[in-house]
Amino acid sequence: MFQTFEVTARPEQGPPRLAALREEISKEGLDGFLVPRADAHQGEYVAPHDERLAWLTGFTGSAGFCAVLAERAGVFIDGRYRTQVKSQVAAQFTPVPWPETHLGTWLKDALPQGGVIGYDPWLHTAGQLADLETVLEGSGLSLRACDNLVDRIWSDQPAPPEAAAKEHPLAFAGESHDAKRARLGATLAKAGHHAALITLPDSLCWLLNIRGADIPRNPVVQGFCVLMSDGHVHLFVNPQKLANLQEHLGPQVSTHPQTALLPFLADLPGPVRAEKSSVPICLSDALGERIVWGDDPCALPKACKNTAEIEGSAAAHLRDGAAVCTLLAWLDAQPPGSLTEIDVVTKLEGLRRNDNALQDISFETIAGTGANGAIMHYRVTEETNSPLQSGDLIVLDSGGQYLDGTTDITRTLAIGPPPSEAAEAFTRVLKGMIAMSRLRWPKGLAGRHIEAIGRVPLWMAGQDFNHGLGHGVGAYLSVHEGPQRLSRLSTVPLDEGMILSNEPGYYREGAFGIRIENLIVVEKAPDLPQGDAEREMLHWRTLTYAPIDRRLIVTALLDAGEREWLNGYHADVLAKIGPRVSPEVLDWLRRATAPV
C-alpha cells in the first residue's frame, strides 16, 4: 500500500538535538558544522538514513541546509519553502532566504576571525566548497573536513538502504546497456578521457538498464560506477543488491562492494571525467590531478528519450489520466465539507493502484486546500489535515511510477463557488500554461530563454511565483530529472525527446494556492509555409490528459487563440480518456470538457 502521511518533527524536538550537536562541535574544536539535505550522491531525494536535515531541524523540504554555530542555527531555504519552514522549525532555528543570502556572507557576519566550520566531505561537492571558499577569502574563516557529527548523536538512525535491484526490460528502455556503454565510452575516448566517475543513481540505473528501491518513490539503486572509455563499467554497489542481475549485467560490468571505491580510484589512470556539481569532495580528492571536470556523460543521453521511452510515457499518461479523471468525477460528487485532504489522497492513490503496471507513486501526493494550498510542496499530516470547504481551492499534485513511464500532474479545483480574485489568478496561470504549450522556438535555446513566456500574464497583473516553470522528468526514473529545466537558471539547450513539466502557479499565503501542470515532450516542429527553410524549430507535444477546472476560468480574460487551444485540448482529453473510464465518469467528463 503506497499511501502514507508524513509526520514531521515537532518544533520542540529540535532544541535537545541542536544542543547535542553543539556539544559535538565543541569537542571537535570547531565553531560550526554544516548539515546539508544532500547525501553522497547529491540527488534531490534521500533515503531515511540520510534525512539528517529533517531529523535535526524538522524541515522536510527537498532542498536546503543548516549551518549550526554556537549561538546561531540558520536553515537556508529557497522561495518554494518560505511558508513551509515557518511551521516546521523551532524558534532556535532561523530561516534564511537562499540563494539571496550566501552562506559565506552569513558566516562572516556570524563568526569572528579564526572561526573553523566543519563539514562531511561525502556530502559536499568540490563546486560547493570552491564557491564557499571564494566568498570566505580574506575573512580569516576556514573549512575543515571531519566525521559526520549528526550521525554521532542520531542514536536510532535508520540503516543505509539495501533493496534488491532489478532489470529494466529492453522493451521499455529502448536500447541495451551494451549499446549505451559502447556509445558513451566512445565519447570519452574521443574527448581523450580514460574514464568517467558517475555518482548520480539515476544515471547509473539508466546506463545499466536497472532499477531499484533505495529511495522512497524513486526506483533507483544507490551506488557509484566508473565508465571506462572502452565501454567497460566498474559498478560499486553492495553485492546483495545485485544477487539476481549477474546474467543481465554480463562480463563487461565488473561489480565491487562500495568500500572498494576509494582504493580503486587511487589506482585509476587519468584523465578521469567527473561532474563538479555532483561528485563528493572525498572522491574528487582521491583522484587529485587526474580529474578533468566535465558533464556526467549519461545526463544528456538520458534526458533525450528514445522512441520506446516516449511512447511508453505517453501510454502511462493515458492510464494515469483515467485514474485522475475518475478521482475528479468522484470529488465533484461530494458535498463541500464532507471530505478532508487525506480522504482525497487515499482515494487517488487507490485508483492508481488499479493499474498493474504501477510500481509506486512518483512522490508524496500534494493535496492542499485553502491556506495549505499556498504551501508549494505541502504534505498533509494528521495534524494539518483540513476539510474541503465551500469557497476554497484545492491544489492536487500527484504522479505514478509505471514500468513504462513516470507521471506528474497538477490540477487546481474549486470547492463550491470560487472567490473572484482566485478565479482571475487561476485564469492568468492558465494563460501562461497555454502560452508555453503553444510555443515554437528555434533549436538551440535553453529553458532560461523561454521560461518567462509562462509568467507574462501574471507579471502583467503584478504577480509571480517562486519556483521554476518546469523540471525534467525521467522514464520510470526520478520525477525530477536534470539537466534540462524551464528555469531562468538553466543553460542546457532543449532538444528532441526531453520530457519536462509545464507548471506555472500562484500562491497567496494564508488564502489559496494555484498550480496547473502538464508534462510535455520536445519534438521537431513541422515546417510552416512562411518559415525560414534553413531554421530548425522545435515545439511541444502534450503527454498529460485531464480536464482543467472550467469553474475557475474567467472566459473574458482568454483571447481567441487561448480558447481554441483549451477547447482543442479538452476535446483530446475526451477522445483519449473517455474510452478508458466508466459510463458514469464519462458523463462527468463530457460536462468537464465542454467548450468554453
Side-chain angles (χ1 to χ4, degrees), residues 12 20 49 122 209 219 227 332 337 351 363 390 414 437 466 539:
E12 62 265 27
H49 171 80
W122 279 99
N209 287 349
L227 171 65
D332 249 11
L351 290 168
F363 54 95
S390 182
S437 300
N466 291 330
H539 73 161

Side-chain angles (χ1 to χ4, degrees), residues 78-314:
D78 64 33
R80 295 170 294 173
Y81 299 111
R82 304 281 160 81
T83 302
Q84 176 179 332
V85 72
K86 296 174 187 176
S87 65
Q88 289 190 315
V89 304
Q92 285 78 6
F93 295 96
T94 302
V96 181
W98 169 74
E100 297 92 331
T101 302
H102 195 284
L103 172 61
T105 304
W106 187 87
L107 289 172
K108 287 192 292 185
D109 178 66
L111 285 174
Q113 279 207 354
V116 182
I117 303 96
Y119 67 92
D120 181 344
W122 279 99
L123 305 185
H124 299 266
T125 69
Q128 293 166 345
L129 192 67
D131 176 60
L132 181 53
E133 287 177 332
T134 297
V135 177
L136 293 178
E137 188 174 357
S139 69
L141 303 181
S142 61
L143 304 171
R144 183 199 301 168
C146 64
D147 292 340
N148 196 294
L149 304 185
V150 173
D151 291 357
R152 286 188 189 175
I153 63 172
W154 191 354
S155 59
D156 58 348
Q157 183 177 20
E162 296 294 350
K166 62 181 180 180
E167 177 182 353
H168 186 52
L170 182 59
F172 300 135
E175 183 182 14
S176 71
H177 74 80
D178 293 325
K180 290 179 181 179
R181 290 186 290 99
R183 177 160 62 95
L184 270 59
T187 66
L188 294 177
K190 184 176 180 180
H193 300 157
H194 180 65
L197 173 59
I198 297 169
T199 64
L200 294 175
D202 56 332
S203 289
L204 180 157
C205 290
W206 174 86
L207 178 64
L208 298 177
N209 287 349
I210 60 176
R211 299 294 187 266
D214 282 343
I215 301 293
R217 314 311 188 198
N218 289 262
V220 297
V221 181
Q222 283 197 323
F224 304 90
C225 75
V226 176
L227 171 65
M228 312 301 292
S229 58
D230 63 0
H232 193 103
V233 161
H234 292 273
L235 176 60
F236 297 86
V237 171
N238 291 338
Q240 60 267 35
K241 295 184 184 182
L242 307 174
N244 301 314
L245 286 178
Q246 291 307 318
E247 183 176 350
H248 166 71
L249 294 174
Q252 290 300 303
V253 178
S254 300
T255 60
H256 314 267
Q258 274 193 202
T259 53
L261 178 59
L262 284 173
F264 180 89
L265 294 180
D267 295 333
L268 183 65
V272 179
R273 183 192 298 186
E275 189 174 61
K276 203 168 190 177
S277 62
S278 62
V279 171
I281 293 167
C282 58
L283 299 185
S284 57
D285 283 352
L287 289 169
E289 294 182 355
R290 290 164 292 150
I291 203 166
V292 177
W293 298 119
D295 293 335
D296 177 337
C298 300
L300 276 178
K302 172 168 57 69
C304 296
K305 310 293 187 289
N306 58 43
T307 300
E309 291 171 318
I310 293 170
E311 295 313 311
S313 182

Side-chain angles (χ1 to χ4, degrees), residues 343-402:
D343 294 330
V344 177
V345 172
T346 303
K347 180 70 173 181
L348 179 54
E349 293 182 5
L351 290 168
R352 279 198 168 101
R353 285 197 299 274
N354 292 331
D355 188 332
N356 291 332
L358 183 74
Q359 306 300 295
D360 201 346
I361 55 175
S362 53
F363 54 95
E364 299 297 335
T365 301
I366 297 171
T369 188
N372 290 340
I375 303 172
M376 296 173 201
H377 286 198
Y378 171 72
R379 299 291 190 272
V380 61
T381 71
E382 299 289 352
E383 294 175 342
T384 65
N385 186 29
S386 298
L388 278 58
Q389 303 281 19
S390 182
D392 280 343
L393 311 185
I394 181 170
V395 178
L396 186 58
D397 188 349
S398 67
Q401 290 284 12
Y402 300 88

Side-chain angles (χ1 to χ4, degrees), residues 40-106:
H41 307 278
Q42 293 297 317
E44 178 178 351
Y45 302 98
V46 299
H49 171 80
D50 296 303
E51 288 275 13
R52 299 176 182 89
L53 182 63
W55 180 85
L56 177 68
T57 70
F59 172 64
T60 61
S62 63
F65 57 92
C66 183
V68 178
L69 312 179
E71 301 295 333
R72 296 192 200 180
V75 179
F76 290 70
I77 36 81
D78 64 33
R80 295 170 294 173
Y81 299 111
R82 304 281 160 81
T83 302
Q84 176 179 332
V85 72
K86 296 174 187 176
S87 65
Q88 289 190 315
V89 304
Q92 285 78 6
F93 295 96
T94 302
V96 181
W98 169 74
E100 297 92 331
T101 302
H102 195 284
L103 172 61
T105 304
W106 187 87

